[in-house]
Amino acid sequence: MDNNHTVRNLILWGLGFALMVAALSMVFVYVPTEKESGIVQRIFYFHVPVAWVSFLAFFITFISSILYLRKRTTKWDAIGCASAEIGVIFTTLVLITGPIWAKPAWGIWWTWDARLTTSLVLWLIYIGYLLVRSLATDSARGARYSAVIGIVGFIDVPIVFFTVNLWRTQHPTTIIFEGGLENSMLITLLVCLAAFTVLYVILVMQSTSLKTMEAEIKHMKNIQSD
Amino acid sequence: MNRAFTKILAIFWKDLLNEFRTKEIIVSVLVFVLLVLVIFNFAFDTGTGASDTVASGILWVALTFGGVIGLNRTFAIEKENSRLEGLMLCPVDRSVIYWGKLAGIFTFMLVIAVVITPVFLALFNLPIFLPRLALIIILALLGFSAVGTLFSALAVNTRSRDIMLPVLLLPVVVPVIVSAVKATGPVLAGMPWGEISTWLQIMVAFDIIYLVIATLVFEYVIEE
């Protein structure tokens, strides 16, 4: 069992490393510079995968939250929490890389467009998720409460997006997807997506096993003190 | 079904009676909301009248903040006297407790809105008789209370609970606030139904979705 774990971990780490190196070299060496927006467009290969991972992470939190409330096993709580933490970090990166690109491209740091606003609201909801965990009066409560927020918050995402979309109809459309992507750019994007997805899997697994261990140690300590 | 309804009414009646005797929530929140309106008048220098968009924003910020304070109080009272435990000992389904508390909170918020909205309309020199505004207020406050009841039951068991509730609640009710503000503006300006119907639909959808979800997950919030 343990041996299998190590082998699986090695494969994942190797795959992640190889994909990351490939992604970096493709972004900075292989892919041609976009004609209109210039060098700054390369942040797109970072921004899109990071955004994808943050949504994936919150989706996993949503699923784990449901499973935790049904089954009450620490495993699902640990996965949900780990995924939410990673989701918050990645959403932060999305909110940082977005303006870096928006300033040269649109001339503004921020616009209350549907995508941007939804990301910001999402970020705030999951900060609440993490806060509840740390501020709950005991850890079992924190797990239950955060699971409830993991469900309620995730369902809010499409509603927020829909509402804000109506609110700000003049938002700039993503030219990238409308015009179709140059082949080399598409391949680079796909490699980047794969690299970041593997990174996410590695991070979740590491963080989950850490949290499970923490819970075990706490449990042992409790037994001892009793 | 009918019996569940009687039980919901019983919890609702308990909250009403308590509020009627102590006047703890409605009066304090009313004063607070009035103060928010006054402060906004200075902040935006509205003079004799504000534009419809600014006015609708002011109304909804005032009601939202007042709502958060009122919500915090309703569950804090239950907590202080260990009445929440008593409520949980009742031989009723958890969802019944949710609907009972929701009915109380929704009523308190409606009372506050009924008192404060005419004052707001008068203070900002807007037309007083606006039946469509009543519809918007009912739909928005229902959505707000649906999520608010769930989250305040949750926040009351955390440390620094006064700040926990708005931190959790406000991001989730963004769709309600956006829709309420966007629908109130045209109503204040006397524009036709077409301008507001989409926003009303969003609020109806939000209300239904969150009433169902909150009913389903409430048991996990107050179990011990």
Side-chain angles (χ1 to χ4, degrees):
Chain A
M1 176 62 198
D2 222 17
N3 216 3
N4 275 344
H5 251 206
T6 336
V7 171
R8 197 180 64 184
N9 272 351
L10 265 180
I11 291 173
L12 258 180
W13 281 90
L15 185 67
F17 184 74
L19 276 170
M20 251 332 151
V21 171
L24 279 174
S25 54
M26 282 177 97
V27 169
F28 289 106
V29 184
Y30 164 74
V31 80
T33 305
E34 212 260 326
K35 216 177 4 180
E36 273 168 39
S37 39
I39 196 87
V40 71
Q41 184 265 338
R42 281 171 206 262
I43 206 168
F44 159 80
Y45 303 110
F46 185 74
H47 183 71
V48 175
V50 166
W52 148 251
V53 166
S54 60
F55 277 102
L56 175 69
F58 293 143
F59 178 67
I60 299 293
T61 302
F62 174 62
I63 301 292
S64 321
S65 299
I66 296 173
L67 289 171
Y68 174 72
L69 289 183
R70 288 233 162 261
K71 301 190 171 157
R72 298 303 168 93
T73 41
T74 25
K75 187 183 84 175
W76 290 116
D77 177 50
I79 293 177
C81 175
S83 199
E85 281 172 358
I86 294 159
V88 167
I89 291 169
F90 276 71
T91 316
T92 313
L93 289 174
V94 170
L95 292 172
I96 292 169
T97 53
I100 292 175
W101 176 82
K103 186 65 185 170
W106 296 339
I108 39 172
W109 292 112
W110 183 265
T111 163
W112 292 94
D113 151 63
R115 280 186 194 80
L116 281 73
T117 312
T118 311
S119 308
L120 183 62
V121 172
L122 202 61
W123 187 70
L124 289 167
I125 290 176
Y126 285 91
I127 284 185
Y129 175 101
L130 296 178
L131 270 179
V132 160
R133 289 189 75 87
S134 55
L135 289 178
T137 37
D138 64 79
S139 61
R141 259 197 191 136
R144 257 191 295 125
Y145 289 174
S146 58
V148 166
I149 296 163
I151 295 169
V152 172
F154 191 78
I155 290 163
D156 205 34
V157 176
I159 312 175
V160 172
F161 186 85
F162 181 73
T163 316
V164 181
N165 211 5
L166 273 177
W167 174 47
R168 288 284 149 107
T169 35
Q170 76 279 28
H171 73 92
T173 47
T174 36
I175 312 138
I176 304 139
F177 293 106
E178 278 181 354
L181 217 52
E182 171 84 21
N183 263 343
S184 60
M185 291 180 171
L186 185 66
I187 295 167
T188 312
L189 179 63
L190 289 176
V191 171
C192 289
L193 279 173
F196 276 92
T197 310
V198 174
L199 175 66
Y200 165 74
V201 174
I202 292 174
L203 287 174
V204 167
M205 281 174 39
Q206 288 298 110
S207 178
T208 306
S209 69
L210 197 66
K211 281 183 206 312
T212 323
M213 268 189 261
E214 270 175 9
E216 265 171 42
I217 290 170
K218 217 173 177 182
H219 185 63
M220 279 189 242
K221 270 186 181 165
N222 279 345
I223 291 172
Q224 214 175 28
S225 61
D226 286 345
Chain B
M1 188 62 219
N2 206 7
R3 301 218 17 215
F5 188 71
T6 329
K7 289 169 187 164
I8 291 170
L9 267 185
I11 295 172
F12 173 54
W13 182 244
K14 165 193 87 70
D15 281 358
L16 274 193
L17 208 60
N18 182 68
E19 179 58 30
F20 187 71
R21 285 180 186 159
T22 60
K23 296 171 190 67
E24 201 170 340
I25 297 163
I26 292 182
V27 174
S28 51
V29 173
L30 265 179
V31 176
F32 174 77
V33 174
L34 189 64
L35 277 168
V36 173
L37 290 180
V38 172
I39 295 294
F40 264 125
N41 171 55
F42 297 129
F44 290 135
D45 193 13
T46 48
T48 48
S51 74
D52 308 319
T53 36
V54 172
S56 84
I58 290 173
L59 174 67
W60 284 104
V61 170
L63 284 179
T64 308
F65 285 2
V68 167
I69 294 202
L71 277 170
N72 257 335
R73 282 311 301 156
T74 43
F75 270 91
I77 293 170
E78 297 277 5
K79 189 76 183 171
E80 276 161 16
N81 306 323
S82 302
R83 297 199 310 214
L84 203 56
E85 278 79 5
L87 206 55
M88 280 160 59
L89 283 174
C90 294
V92 293
D93 208 53
R94 298 291 194 233
S95 54
V96 167
I97 299 178
Y98 171 75
W99 281 87
K101 291 302 290 179
L102 170 67
I105 285 166
F106 181 55
T107 311
F108 295 161
M109 291 207 61
L110 267 188
V111 170
I112 289 160
V114 164
V115 177
I116 217 69
T117 311
V119 176
F120 154 79
L121 293 170
L123 281 178
F124 290 85
N125 286 317
L126 291 156
I128 298 278
F129 185 67
L130 294 167
R132 289 188 299 173
L133 187 57
L135 182 62
I136 297 169
I137 287 175
I138 290 171
L139 287 177
L141 292 187
L142 183 58
F144 188 86
S145 328
V147 186
T149 307
L150 176 72
F151 279 176
S152 51
L154 189 156
V156 80
N157 280 319
T158 57
R159 276 169 279 145
S160 64
R161 60 185 178 213
D162 291 338
I163 194 68
M164 209 60 240
L165 176 66
V167 164
L168 294 175
L169 178 61
L170 295 182
V172 174
V173 296
V174 159
V176 171
I177 295 175
V178 170
S179 310
V181 170
K182 289 306 278 186
T184 306
V187 167
L188 294 180
M191 283 197 238
W193 276 100
E195 293 284 323
I196 63 166
S197 60
T198 323
W199 302 110
L200 293 181
Q201 284 164 16
I202 292 178
M203 286 193 278
V204 170
F206 185 96
D207 293 358
I208 295 172
I209 291 171
Y210 275 102
L211 284 174
V212 172
I213 293 170
T215 308
L216 290 175
V217 298
F218 189 72
E219 59 173 302
Y220 302 111
V221 168
I222 60 162
E223 81 177 27
E224 284 311 311

